[in-house]
Amino acid sequence: MVVAPELLLGKAMVDLLSALHSEKEMKNWAEIDEVEWTVTHAYFANMGGFSLHFRDVAVRPTKVDH
């Protein structure tokens, strides 16, 4: 970071803008589910920190021909 400190600032800005965008998108779902969604949740989700599991979705294995 001694040679190019602006790279760290750029990465932080991209992460912030991504989290703000994700927060805006997820607030629509949060209103339906009545679950609070914050920028912190968006950061965590963008890092891959959440795993979604659906009970009502039937998953069938597909046959793959090689």
Side-chain angles (χ1 to χ4, degrees):
M1 300 309 338
V2 174
V3 177
E6 64 274 4
L7 292 178
L8 183 61
L9 179 62
K11 172 72 169 118
M13 287 300 298
V14 168
D15 287 347
L16 175 61
L17 292 173
S18 178
L20 290 172
H21 177 74
S22 295
E23 178 194 23
K24 184 178 176 183
E25 292 291 321
M26 290 305 293
K27 280 200 174 191
N28 296 331
W29 288 70
E31 289 175 6
I32 294 169
D33 294 340
E34 298 177 359
V35 176
E36 181 182 2
W37 189 266
T38 65
V39 175
T40 304
H41 292 106
Y43 269 112
F44 193 65
N46 288 349
M47 292 186 313
F50 288 111
S51 177
L52 302 177
H53 299 276
F54 298 97
R55 285 181 259 170
D56 298 337
V57 177
V59 178
R60 293 183 185 186
T62 58
K63 182 178 179 182
V64 178
D65 296 325
H66 291 281

Tab-separated table of all heavy atoms in Angstrom:
chain	number	residue	atom	x	y	z
A	1	MET	N	0.809	-1.181	0.000
A	1	MET	CA	0.000	0.000	0.000
A	1	MET	C	0.864	1.261	0.000
A	1	MET	O	0.338	2.344	-0.151
A	1	MET	CB	-0.938	0.020	1.194
A	1	MET	CG	-1.937	-1.132	1.295
A	1	MET	SD	-3.037	-1.648	-0.045
A	1	MET	CE	-3.255	-0.377	-1.171
A	2	VAL	N	2.152	1.093	0.156
A	2	VAL	CA	3.048	2.246	0.139
A	2	VAL	C	3.129	2.838	-1.261
A	2	VAL	O	3.140	4.050	-1.435
A	2	VAL	CB	4.467	1.844	0.638
A	2	VAL	CG1	5.444	2.988	0.495
A	2	VAL	CG2	4.390	1.364	2.077
A	3	VAL	N	3.129	1.982	-2.274
A	3	VAL	CA	3.286	2.432	-3.655
A	3	VAL	C	1.991	3.021	-4.211
A	3	VAL	O	1.998	4.040	-4.898
A	3	VAL	CB	3.760	1.266	-4.546
A	3	VAL	CG1	3.860	1.694	-5.991
A	3	VAL	CG2	5.092	0.738	-4.041
A	4	ALA	N	0.849	2.401	-3.919
A	4	ALA	CA	-0.424	2.845	-4.500
A	4	ALA	C	-1.542	2.806	-3.455
A	4	ALA	O	-2.426	1.949	-3.505
A	4	ALA	CB	-0.764	1.975	-5.699
A	5	PRO	N	-1.546	3.753	-2.498
A	5	PRO	CA	-2.581	3.735	-1.458
A	5	PRO	C	-3.989	3.989	-1.990
A	5	PRO	O	-4.969	3.611	-1.366
A	5	PRO	CB	-2.148	4.849	-0.501
A	5	PRO	CG	-1.250	5.722	-1.291
A	5	PRO	CD	-0.613	4.844	-2.334
A	6	GLU	N	-4.092	4.589	-3.167
A	6	GLU	CA	-5.416	4.865	-3.731
A	6	GLU	C	-6.151	3.581	-4.105
A	6	GLU	O	-7.379	3.570	-4.212
A	6	GLU	CB	-5.324	5.802	-4.944
A	6	GLU	CG	-4.584	5.247	-6.121
A	6	GLU	CD	-3.068	5.451	-6.062
A	6	GLU	OE1	-2.554	5.963	-5.063
A	6	GLU	OE2	-2.418	5.078	-7.044
A	7	LEU	N	-5.433	2.491	-4.291
A	7	LEU	CA	-6.091	1.212	-4.582
A	7	LEU	C	-6.955	0.758	-3.411
A	7	LEU	O	-8.059	0.256	-3.609
A	7	LEU	CB	-5.057	0.143	-4.935
A	7	LEU	CG	-4.318	0.344	-6.251
A	7	LEU	CD1	-3.281	-0.757	-6.446
A	7	LEU	CD2	-5.283	0.375	-7.410
A	8	LEU	N	-6.456	0.942	-2.205
A	8	LEU	CA	-7.227	0.580	-1.019
A	8	LEU	C	-8.471	1.461	-0.902
A	8	LEU	O	-9.566	0.963	-0.616
A	8	LEU	CB	-6.373	0.710	0.240
A	8	LEU	CG	-7.039	0.303	1.550
A	8	LEU	CD1	-7.445	-1.158	1.514
A	8	LEU	CD2	-6.109	0.556	2.716
A	9	LEU	N	-8.314	2.743	-1.143
A	9	LEU	CA	-9.458	3.660	-1.100
A	9	LEU	C	-10.470	3.301	-2.183
A	9	LEU	O	-11.680	3.282	-1.937
A	9	LEU	CB	-8.997	5.109	-1.276
A	9	LEU	CG	-10.098	6.158	-1.280
A	9	LEU	CD1	-10.842	6.162	0.047
A	9	LEU	CD2	-9.531	7.521	-1.594
A	10	GLY	N	-9.994	2.991	-3.371
A	10	GLY	CA	-10.881	2.603	-4.469
A	10	GLY	C	-11.662	1.337	-4.146
A	10	GLY	O	-12.866	1.260	-4.398
A	11	LYS	N	-10.987	0.354	-3.580
A	11	LYS	CA	-11.653	-0.902	-3.200
A	11	LYS	C	-12.719	-0.644	-2.140
A	11	LYS	O	-13.825	-1.180	-2.207
A	11	LYS	CB	-10.609	-1.901	-2.686
A	11	LYS	CG	-11.167	-3.164	-2.092
A	11	LYS	CD	-11.752	-4.086	-3.128
A	11	LYS	CE	-12.049	-5.441	-2.524
A	11	LYS	NZ	-13.451	-5.794	-2.553
A	12	ALA	N	-12.404	0.191	-1.171
A	12	ALA	CA	-13.370	0.516	-0.123
A	12	ALA	C	-14.585	1.236	-0.701
A	12	ALA	O	-15.725	0.961	-0.300
A	12	ALA	CB	-12.708	1.378	0.953
A	13	MET	N	-14.362	2.140	-1.648
A	13	MET	CA	-15.479	2.860	-2.272
A	13	MET	C	-16.367	1.917	-3.084
A	13	MET	O	-17.587	2.021	-3.040
A	13	MET	CB	-14.953	3.988	-3.167
A	13	MET	CG	-14.403	5.168	-2.400
A	13	MET	SD	-15.622	5.956	-1.319
A	13	MET	CE	-16.819	6.510	-2.500
A	14	VAL	N	-15.743	1.004	-3.821
A	14	VAL	CA	-16.527	0.028	-4.601
A	14	VAL	C	-17.357	-0.845	-3.672
A	14	VAL	O	-18.538	-1.101	-3.938
A	14	VAL	CB	-15.596	-0.825	-5.498
A	14	VAL	CG1	-16.330	-2.014	-6.067
A	14	VAL	CG2	-15.023	0.029	-6.611
A	15	ASP	N	-16.768	-1.283	-2.566
A	15	ASP	CA	-17.503	-2.100	-1.594
A	15	ASP	C	-18.668	-1.323	-0.991
A	15	ASP	O	-19.767	-1.861	-0.830
A	15	ASP	CB	-16.578	-2.579	-0.480
A	15	ASP	CG	-15.619	-3.656	-0.931
A	15	ASP	OD1	-15.816	-4.219	-2.034
A	15	ASP	OD2	-14.660	-3.938	-0.181
A	16	LEU	N	-18.448	-0.053	-0.669
A	16	LEU	CA	-19.515	0.770	-0.100
A	16	LEU	C	-20.647	0.977	-1.103
A	16	LEU	O	-21.821	0.804	-0.763
A	16	LEU	CB	-18.967	2.126	0.348
A	16	LEU	CG	-20.019	3.123	0.858
A	16	LEU	CD1	-20.745	2.575	2.086
A	16	LEU	CD2	-19.378	4.461	1.149
A	17	LEU	N	-20.314	1.327	-2.338
A	17	LEU	CA	-21.344	1.540	-3.348
A	17	LEU	C	-22.128	0.263	-3.616
A	17	LEU	O	-23.350	0.293	-3.789
A	17	LEU	CB	-20.724	2.080	-4.637
A	17	LEU	CG	-20.150	3.499	-4.542
A	17	LEU	CD1	-19.424	3.863	-5.825
A	17	LEU	CD2	-21.231	4.500	-4.217
A	18	SER	N	-21.443	-0.869	-3.633
A	18	SER	CA	-22.105	-2.155	-3.833
A	18	SER	C	-23.053	-2.458	-2.672
A	18	SER	O	-24.175	-2.920	-2.874
A	18	SER	CB	-21.060	-3.256	-3.978
A	18	SER	OG	-21.677	-4.502	-4.124
A	19	ALA	N	-22.608	-2.198	-1.451
A	19	ALA	CA	-23.444	-2.445	-0.278
A	19	ALA	C	-24.667	-1.530	-0.274
A	19	ALA	O	-25.776	-1.969	0.051
A	19	ALA	CB	-22.639	-2.253	1.003
A	20	LEU	N	-24.492	-0.277	-0.649
A	20	LEU	CA	-25.626	0.651	-0.702
A	20	LEU	C	-26.641	0.212	-1.756
A	20	LEU	O	-27.853	0.292	-1.534
A	20	LEU	CB	-25.138	2.075	-0.978
A	20	LEU	CG	-24.363	2.733	0.164
A	20	LEU	CD1	-23.772	4.054	-0.303
A	20	LEU	CD2	-25.235	2.923	1.384
A	21	HIS	N	-26.147	-0.262	-2.891
A	21	HIS	CA	-27.039	-0.752	-3.942
A	21	HIS	C	-27.791	-1.998	-3.458
A	21	HIS	O	-28.998	-2.109	-3.637
A	21	HIS	CB	-26.249	-1.058	-5.212
A	21	HIS	CG	-27.079	-1.634	-6.305
A	21	HIS	ND1	-27.962	-0.876	-7.042
A	21	HIS	CD2	-27.200	-2.895	-6.768
A	21	HIS	CE1	-28.570	-1.641	-7.919
A	21	HIS	NE2	-28.123	-2.883	-7.767
A	22	SER	N	-27.072	-2.912	-2.838
A	22	SER	CA	-27.697	-4.137	-2.336
A	22	SER	C	-28.720	-3.831	-1.258
A	22	SER	O	-29.781	-4.454	-1.204
A	22	SER	CB	-26.637	-5.088	-1.774
A	22	SER	OG	-25.782	-5.527	-2.788
A	23	GLU	N	-28.409	-2.868	-0.394
A	23	GLU	CA	-29.349	-2.495	0.663
A	23	GLU	C	-30.642	-1.973	0.047
A	23	GLU	O	-31.742	-2.353	0.465
A	23	GLU	CB	-28.752	-1.426	1.563
A	23	GLU	CG	-29.714	-0.966	2.638
A	23	GLU	CD	-29.292	0.304	3.326
A	23	GLU	OE1	-28.521	1.095	2.744
A	23	GLU	OE2	-29.761	0.515	4.442
A	24	LYS	N	-30.521	-1.129	-0.957
A	24	LYS	CA	-31.701	-0.569	-1.624
A	24	LYS	C	-32.540	-1.677	-2.252
A	24	LYS	O	-33.765	-1.697	-2.131
A	24	LYS	CB	-31.260	0.425	-2.690
A	24	LYS	CG	-32.376	1.135	-3.379
A	24	LYS	CD	-31.837	2.129	-4.392
A	24	LYS	CE	-32.946	2.785	-5.160
A	24	LYS	NZ	-32.448	3.702	-6.181
A	25	GLU	N	-31.890	-2.637	-2.919
A	25	GLU	CA	-32.596	-3.748	-3.554
A	25	GLU	C	-33.282	-4.645	-2.523
A	25	GLU	O	-34.405	-5.093	-2.722
A	25	GLU	CB	-31.629	-4.579	-4.396
A	25	GLU	CG	-31.090	-3.870	-5.611
A	25	GLU	CD	-32.151	-3.649	-6.674
A	25	GLU	OE1	-32.984	-4.551	-6.885
A	25	GLU	OE2	-32.160	-2.557	-7.258
A	26	MET	N	-32.612	-4.909	-1.427
A	26	MET	CA	-33.143	-5.842	-0.438
A	26	MET	C	-34.201	-5.223	0.468
A	26	MET	O	-34.984	-5.936	1.084
A	26	MET	CB	-32.016	-6.420	0.415
A	26	MET	CG	-31.122	-7.365	-0.352
A	26	MET	SD	-32.012	-8.721	-1.157
A	26	MET	CE	-32.580	-9.642	0.252
A	27	LYS	N	-34.260	-3.893	0.556
A	27	LYS	CA	-35.282	-3.266	1.401
A	27	LYS	C	-36.683	-3.600	0.912
A	27	LYS	O	-37.606	-3.695	1.709
A	27	LYS	CB	-35.065	-1.765	1.477
A	27	LYS	CG	-33.984	-1.422	2.468
A	27	LYS	CD	-34.060	0.003	2.917
A	27	LYS	CE	-33.028	0.189	4.005
A	27	LYS	NZ	-33.170	1.431	4.687
A	28	ASN	N	-36.868	-3.794	-0.392
A	28	ASN	CA	-38.174	-4.205	-0.903
A	28	ASN	C	-38.582	-5.555	-0.332
A	28	ASN	O	-39.717	-5.759	0.086
A	28	ASN	CB	-38.161	-4.261	-2.432
A	28	ASN	CG	-37.924	-2.903	-3.048
A	28	ASN	OD1	-38.280	-1.890	-2.484
A	28	ASN	ND2	-37.304	-2.889	-4.204
A	29	TRP	N	-37.646	-6.496	-0.315
A	29	TRP	CA	-37.920	-7.824	0.256
A	29	TRP	C	-38.109	-7.719	1.764
A	29	TRP	O	-38.938	-8.416	2.348
A	29	TRP	CB	-36.773	-8.776	-0.045
A	29	TRP	CG	-36.695	-9.189	-1.462
A	29	TRP	CD1	-36.341	-8.417	-2.520
A	29	TRP	CD2	-36.987	-10.473	-1.987
A	29	TRP	NE1	-36.380	-9.151	-3.676
A	29	TRP	CE2	-36.776	-10.416	-3.373
A	29	TRP	CE3	-37.399	-11.667	-1.427
A	29	TRP	CZ2	-36.965	-11.510	-4.202
A	29	TRP	CZ3	-37.575	-12.757	-2.247
A	29	TRP	CH2	-37.368	-12.671	-3.623
A	30	ALA	N	-37.326	-6.858	2.398
A	30	ALA	CA	-37.403	-6.718	3.852
A	30	ALA	C	-38.763	-6.194	4.282
A	30	ALA	O	-39.277	-6.594	5.328
A	30	ALA	CB	-36.294	-5.795	4.345
A	31	GLU	N	-39.358	-5.310	3.498
A	31	GLU	CA	-40.685	-4.805	3.830
A	31	GLU	C	-41.731	-5.922	3.754
A	31	GLU	O	-42.633	-5.988	4.574
A	31	GLU	CB	-41.068	-3.666	2.889
A	31	GLU	CG	-40.287	-2.393	3.137
A	31	GLU	CD	-40.584	-1.318	2.114
A	31	GLU	OE1	-41.489	-1.517	1.271
A	31	GLU	OE2	-39.905	-0.277	2.161
A	32	ILE	N	-41.588	-6.811	2.784
A	32	ILE	CA	-42.512	-7.934	2.647
A	32	ILE	C	-42.357	-8.900	3.822
A	32	ILE	O	-43.327	-9.359	4.408
A	32	ILE	CB	-42.282	-8.669	1.313
A	32	ILE	CG1	-42.638	-7.751	0.146
A	32	ILE	CG2	-43.067	-9.966	1.250
A	32	ILE	CD1	-42.194	-8.269	-1.212
A	33	ASP	N	-41.095	-9.212	4.164
A	33	ASP	CA	-40.813	-10.171	5.238
A	33	ASP	C	-40.848	-9.544	6.628
A	33	ASP	O	-40.765	-10.251	7.617
A	33	ASP	CB	-39.430	-10.797	5.038
A	33	ASP	CG	-39.357	-11.652	3.805
A	33	ASP	OD1	-40.418	-12.073	3.321
A	33	ASP	OD2	-38.248	-11.885	3.315
A	34	GLU	N	-40.933	-8.209	6.684
A	34	GLU	CA	-40.888	-7.470	7.940
A	34	GLU	C	-39.614	-7.766	8.725
A	34	GLU	O	-39.622	-7.971	9.934
A	34	GLU	CB	-42.135	-7.752	8.779
A	34	GLU	CG	-43.416	-7.319	8.100
A	34	GLU	CD	-44.660	-7.659	8.890
A	34	GLU	OE1	-44.545	-8.251	9.979
A	34	GLU	OE2	-45.752	-7.322	8.418
A	35	VAL	N	-38.488	-7.800	7.993
A	35	VAL	CA	-37.183	-8.040	8.580
A	35	VAL	C	-36.317	-6.822	8.292
A	35	VAL	O	-36.292	-6.329	7.163
A	35	VAL	CB	-36.520	-9.302	7.983
A	35	VAL	CG1	-35.122	-9.484	8.517
A	35	VAL	CG2	-37.373	-10.521	8.264
A	36	GLU	N	-35.626	-6.339	9.309
A	36	GLU	CA	-34.760	-5.178	9.124
A	36	GLU	C	-33.570	-5.546	8.228
A	36	GLU	O	-33.006	-6.634	8.334
A	36	GLU	CB	-34.242	-4.705	10.483
A	36	GLU	CG	-33.365	-3.483	10.395
A	36	GLU	CD	-32.827	-3.055	11.745
A	36	GLU	OE1	-33.107	-3.730	12.751
A	36	GLU	OE2	-32.122	-2.051	11.773
A	37	TRP	N	-33.196	-4.636	7.317
A	37	TRP	CA	-32.052	-4.847	6.432
A	37	TRP	C	-31.225	-3.578	6.438
A	37	TRP	O	-31.715	-2.508	6.104
A	37	TRP	CB	-32.532	-5.182	5.021
A	37	TRP	CG	-31.427	-5.607	4.131
A	37	TRP	CD1	-30.709	-4.818	3.290
A	37	TRP	CD2	-30.872	-6.920	4.012
A	37	TRP	NE1	-29.756	-5.544	2.649
A	37	TRP	CE2	-29.834	-6.841	3.071
A	37	TRP	CE3	-31.154	-8.139	4.608
A	37	TRP	CZ2	-29.079	-7.950	2.704
A	37	TRP	CZ3	-30.397	-9.235	4.240
A	37	TRP	CH2	-29.388	-9.142	3.302
A	38	THR	N	-29.961	-3.682	6.816
A	38	THR	CA	-29.096	-2.510	6.923
A	38	THR	C	-27.909	-2.634	5.974
A	38	THR	O	-27.723	-3.665	5.321
A	38	THR	CB	-28.565	-2.363	8.358
A	38	THR	OG1	-27.719	-3.486	8.650
A	38	THR	CG2	-29.697	-2.283	9.371
A	39	VAL	N	-27.101	-1.575	5.934
A	39	VAL	CA	-25.889	-1.599	5.112
A	39	VAL	C	-24.944	-2.685	5.628
A	39	VAL	O	-24.257	-3.342	4.845
A	39	VAL	CB	-25.190	-0.220	5.113
A	39	VAL	CG1	-23.874	-0.258	4.366
A	39	VAL	CG2	-26.095	0.840	4.512
A	40	THR	N	-24.918	-2.911	6.929
A	40	THR	CA	-24.076	-3.965	7.502
A	40	THR	C	-24.479	-5.329	6.955
A	40	THR	O	-23.623	-6.141	6.585
A	40	THR	CB	-24.177	-3.958	9.034
A	40	THR	OG1	-23.831	-2.663	9.515
A	40	THR	CG2	-23.260	-4.999	9.648
A	41	HIS	N	-25.784	-5.577	6.881
A	41	HIS	CA	-26.275	-6.833	6.306
A	41	HIS	C	-25.854	-6.925	4.834
A	41	HIS	O	-25.490	-7.994	4.348
A	41	HIS	CB	-27.795	-6.915	6.399
A	41	HIS	CG	-28.298	-7.055	7.793
A	41	HIS	ND1	-28.906	-6.019	8.450
A	41	HIS	CD2	-28.286	-8.101	8.646
A	41	HIS	CE1	-29.243	-6.425	9.666
A	41	HIS	NE2	-28.882	-7.684	9.807
A	42	ALA	N	-25.927	-5.802	4.124
A	42	ALA	CA	-25.559	-5.796	2.709
A	42	ALA	C	-24.085	-6.115	2.515
A	42	ALA	O	-23.724	-6.884	1.625
A	42	ALA	CB	-25.898	-4.442	2.089
A	43	TYR	N	-23.213	-5.533	3.347
A	43	TYR	CA	-21.783	-5.869	3.280
A	43	TYR	C	-21.590	-7.373	3.487
A	43	TYR	O	-20.858	-8.032	2.747
A	43	TYR	CB	-20.989	-5.131	4.366
A	43	TYR	CG	-20.430	-3.799	3.958
A	43	TYR	CD1	-20.909	-2.626	4.509
A	43	TYR	CD2	-19.383	-3.696	3.051
A	43	TYR	CE1	-20.397	-1.397	4.160
A	43	TYR	CE2	-18.855	-2.484	2.698
A	43	TYR	CZ	-19.364	-1.331	3.251
A	43	TYR	OH	-18.845	-0.122	2.908
A	44	PHE	N	-22.226	-7.894	4.520
A	44	PHE	CA	-22.093	-9.316	4.849
A	44	PHE	C	-22.594	-10.194	3.713
A	44	PHE	O	-21.956	-11.187	3.345
A	44	PHE	CB	-22.853	-9.606	6.145
A	44	PHE	CG	-22.543	-10.934	6.752
A	44	PHE	CD1	-21.288	-11.220	7.237
A	44	PHE	CD2	-23.524	-11.903	6.848
A	44	PHE	CE1	-21.002	-12.454	7.801
A	44	PHE	CE2	-23.258	-13.134	7.414
A	44	PHE	CZ	-21.990	-13.408	7.888
A	45	ALA	N	-23.728	-9.831	3.129
A	45	ALA	CA	-24.287	-10.609	2.012
A	45	ALA	C	-23.378	-10.549	0.793
A	45	ALA	O	-23.162	-11.553	0.117
A	45	ALA	CB	-25.673	-10.091	1.664
A	46	ASN	N	-22.825	-9.382	0.498
A	46	ASN	CA	-21.933	-9.246	-0.654
A	46	ASN	C	-20.660	-10.069	-0.492
A	46	ASN	O	-20.058	-10.481	-1.479
A	46	ASN	CB	-21.588	-7.779	-0.898
A	46	ASN	CG	-22.749	-6.992	-1.449
A	46	ASN	OD1	-23.760	-7.562	-1.847
A	46	ASN	ND2	-22.628	-5.679	-1.456
A	47	MET	N	-20.265	-10.319	0.750
A	47	MET	CA	-19.089	-11.154	1.004
A	47	MET	C	-19.418	-12.635	0.923
A	47	MET	O	-18.540	-13.479	1.036
A	47	MET	CB	-18.511	-10.868	2.390
A	47	MET	CG	-17.903	-9.506	2.539
A	47	MET	SD	-17.079	-9.252	4.141
A	47	MET	CE	-18.240	-9.859	5.314
A	48	GLY	N	-20.703	-12.961	0.749
A	48	GLY	CA	-21.107	-14.365	0.700
A	48	GLY	C	-21.412	-14.932	2.065
A	48	GLY	O	-21.348	-16.140	2.273
A	49	GLY	N	-21.755	-14.060	2.999
A	49	GLY	CA	-21.967	-14.472	4.379
A	49	GLY	C	-23.315	-15.081	4.691
A	49	GLY	O	-23.508	-15.610	5.770
A	50	PHE	N	-24.272	-15.006	3.773
A	50	PHE	CA	-25.594	-15.575	4.015
A	50	PHE	C	-25.805	-16.774	3.108
A	50	PHE	O	-25.349	-16.806	1.978
A	50	PHE	CB	-26.707	-14.559	3.732
A	50	PHE	CG	-26.798	-13.459	4.752
A	50	PHE	CD1	-26.467	-12.163	4.415
A	50	PHE	CD2	-27.214	-13.725	6.039
A	50	PHE	CE1	-26.550	-11.141	5.340
A	50	PHE	CE2	-27.300	-12.713	6.979
A	50	PHE	CZ	-26.967	-11.416	6.629
A	51	SER	N	-26.517	-17.736	3.617
A	51	SER	CA	-26.904	-18.903	2.843
A	51	SER	C	-28.419	-19.003	2.893
A	51	SER	O	-29.000	-18.988	3.972
A	51	SER	CB	-26.270	-20.163	3.440
A	51	SER	OG	-26.698	-21.294	2.747
A	52	LEU	N	-29.054	-19.074	1.734
A	52	LEU	CA	-30.506	-19.118	1.683
A	52	LEU	C	-30.982	-20.549	1.492
A	52	LEU	O	-30.456	-21.277	0.664
A	52	LEU	CB	-31.026	-18.253	0.532
A	52	LEU	CG	-30.632	-16.788	0.572
A	52	LEU	CD1	-31.162	-16.078	-0.661
A	52	LEU	CD2	-31.131	-16.118	1.837
A	53	HIS	N	-31.965	-20.929	2.272
A	53	HIS	CA	-32.565	-22.250	2.178
A	53	HIS	C	-34.062	-22.073	1.964
A	53	HIS	O	-34.714	-21.346	2.706
A	53	HIS	CB	-32.317	-23.063	3.455
A	53	HIS	CG	-30.879	-23.282	3.733
A	53	HIS	ND1	-30.172	-24.312	3.161
A	53	HIS	CD2	-29.993	-22.593	4.487
A	53	HIS	CE1	-28.925	-24.252	3.580
A	53	HIS	NE2	-28.786	-23.214	4.382
A	54	PHE	N	-34.603	-22.743	0.963
A	54	PHE	CA	-36.018	-22.628	0.648
A	54	PHE	C	-36.702	-23.962	0.938
A	54	PHE	O	-36.260	-25.005	0.475
A	54	PHE	CB	-36.216	-22.260	-0.823
A	54	PHE	CG	-35.612	-20.934	-1.170
A	54	PHE	CD1	-34.353	-20.861	-1.742
A	54	PHE	CD2	-36.293	-19.763	-0.913
A	54	PHE	CE1	-33.792	-19.630	-2.064
A	54	PHE	CE2	-35.750	-18.532	-1.232
A	54	PHE	CZ	-34.491	-18.470	-1.804
A	55	ARG	N	-37.774	-23.929	1.697
A	55	ARG	CA	-38.496	-25.144	2.053
A	55	ARG	C	-39.470	-25.575	0.970
A	55	ARG	O	-39.684	-26.742	0.763
A	55	ARG	CB	-39.275	-24.934	3.338
A	55	ARG	CG	-38.405	-24.933	4.555
A	55	ARG	CD	-39.258	-24.743	5.756
A	55	ARG	NE	-39.094	-23.330	6.103
A	55	ARG	CZ	-39.803	-22.691	6.979
A	55	ARG	NH1	-40.777	-23.289	7.599
A	55	ARG	NH2	-39.580	-21.436	7.262
A	56	ASP	N	-40.074	-24.622	0.291
A	56	ASP	CA	-41.155	-24.923	-0.634
A	56	ASP	C	-40.696	-25.253	-2.051
A	56	ASP	O	-41.518	-25.508	-2.913
A	56	ASP	CB	-42.128	-23.745	-0.695
A	56	ASP	CG	-42.766	-23.470	0.653
A	56	ASP	OD1	-42.800	-24.399	1.480
A	56	ASP	OD2	-43.207	-22.344	0.873
A	57	VAL	N	-39.419	-25.262	-2.280
A	57	VAL	CA	-38.918	-25.501	-3.632
A	57	VAL	C	-38.513	-26.962	-3.766
A	57	VAL	O	-37.704	-27.467	-3.007
A	57	VAL	CB	-37.705	-24.589	-3.927
A	57	VAL	CG1	-37.151	-24.889	-5.304
A	57	VAL	CG2	-38.105	-23.135	-3.810
A	58	ALA	N	-39.098	-27.632	-4.728
A	58	ALA	CA	-38.745	-29.022	-4.979
A	58	ALA	C	-37.550	-29.042	-5.931
A	58	ALA	O	-37.585	-28.464	-7.017
A	58	ALA	CB	-39.917	-29.767	-5.601
A	59	VAL	N	-36.512	-29.700	-5.523
A	59	VAL	CA	-35.300	-29.784	-6.334
A	59	VAL	C	-35.169	-31.225	-6.818
A	59	VAL	O	-35.135	-32.155	-6.034
A	59	VAL	CB	-34.059	-29.377	-5.530
A	59	VAL	CG1	-32.819	-29.517	-6.385
A	59	VAL	CG2	-34.212	-27.971	-5.005
A	60	ARG	N	-35.110	-31.366	-8.123
A	60	ARG	CA	-34.921	-32.698	-8.698
A	60	ARG	C	-33.566	-32.760	-9.369
A	60	ARG	O	-33.177	-31.832	-10.066
A	60	ARG	CB	-35.985	-32.969	-9.755
A	60	ARG	CG	-37.372	-33.075	-9.206
A	60	ARG	CD	-38.308	-33.416	-10.325
A	60	ARG	NE	-39.675	-33.414	-9.834
A	60	ARG	CZ	-40.692	-33.779	-10.554
A	60	ARG	NH1	-40.523	-34.144	-11.801
A	60	ARG	NH2	-41.898	-33.742	-10.041
A	61	PRO	N	-32.874	-33.858	-9.182
A	61	PRO	CA	-31.613	-33.995	-9.894
A	61	PRO	C	-31.865	-34.091	-11.404
A	61	PRO	O	-32.846	-34.706	-11.828
A	61	PRO	CB	-31.012	-35.289	-9.363
A	61	PRO	CG	-32.018	-35.889	-8.475
A	61	PRO	CD	-33.170	-34.963	-8.327
A	62	THR	N	-31.039	-33.462	-12.144
A	62	THR	CA	-31.196	-33.523	-13.607
A	62	THR	C	-30.230	-34.544	-14.181
A	62	THR	O	-29.135	-34.729	-13.668
A	62	THR	CB	-30.936	-32.160	-14.245
A	62	THR	OG1	-29.614	-31.733	-13.892
A	62	THR	CG2	-31.938	-31.127	-13.760
A	63	LYS	N	-30.653	-35.177	-15.216
A	63	LYS	CA	-29.816	-36.165	-15.859
A	63	LYS	C	-28.875	-35.441	-16.818
A	63	LYS	O	-29.291	-34.651	-17.646
A	63	LYS	CB	-30.667	-37.161	-16.648
A	63	LYS	CG	-29.869	-38.245	-17.292
A	63	LYS	CD	-30.780	-39.223	-18.015
A	63	LYS	CE	-29.931	-40.292	-18.684
A	63	LYS	NZ	-30.776	-41.224	-19.441
A	64	VAL	N	-27.608	-35.694	-16.648
A	64	VAL	CA	-26.592	-35.043	-17.476
A	64	VAL	C	-25.914	-36.112	-18.304
A	64	VAL	O	-25.368	-37.080	-17.766
A	64	VAL	CB	-25.556	-34.287	-16.620
A	64	VAL	CG1	-24.488	-33.668	-17.492
A	64	VAL	CG2	-26.245	-33.252	-15.758
A	65	ASP	N	-25.959	-35.965	-19.608
A	65	ASP	CA	-25.269	-36.896	-20.502
A	65	ASP	C	-23.906	-36.334	-20.836
A	65	ASP	O	-23.777	-35.210	-21.298
A	65	ASP	CB	-26.072	-37.109	-21.794
A	65	ASP	CG	-27.409	-37.768	-21.534
A	65	ASP	OD1	-27.449	-38.618	-20.617
A	65	ASP	OD2	-28.377	-37.441	-22.210
A	66	HIS	N	-22.894	-37.137	-20.623
A	66	HIS	CA	-21.528	-36.687	-20.920
A	66	HIS	C	-21.064	-37.266	-22.219
A	66	HIS	O	-21.152	-38.303	-22.612
A	66	HIS	CB	-20.562	-37.101	-19.816
A	66	HIS	CG	-20.820	-36.357	-18.542
A	66	HIS	ND1	-20.395	-35.073	-18.352
A	66	HIS	CD2	-21.497	-36.694	-17.433
A	66	HIS	CE1	-20.759	-34.670	-17.154
A	66	HIS	NE2	-21.433	-35.651	-16.571
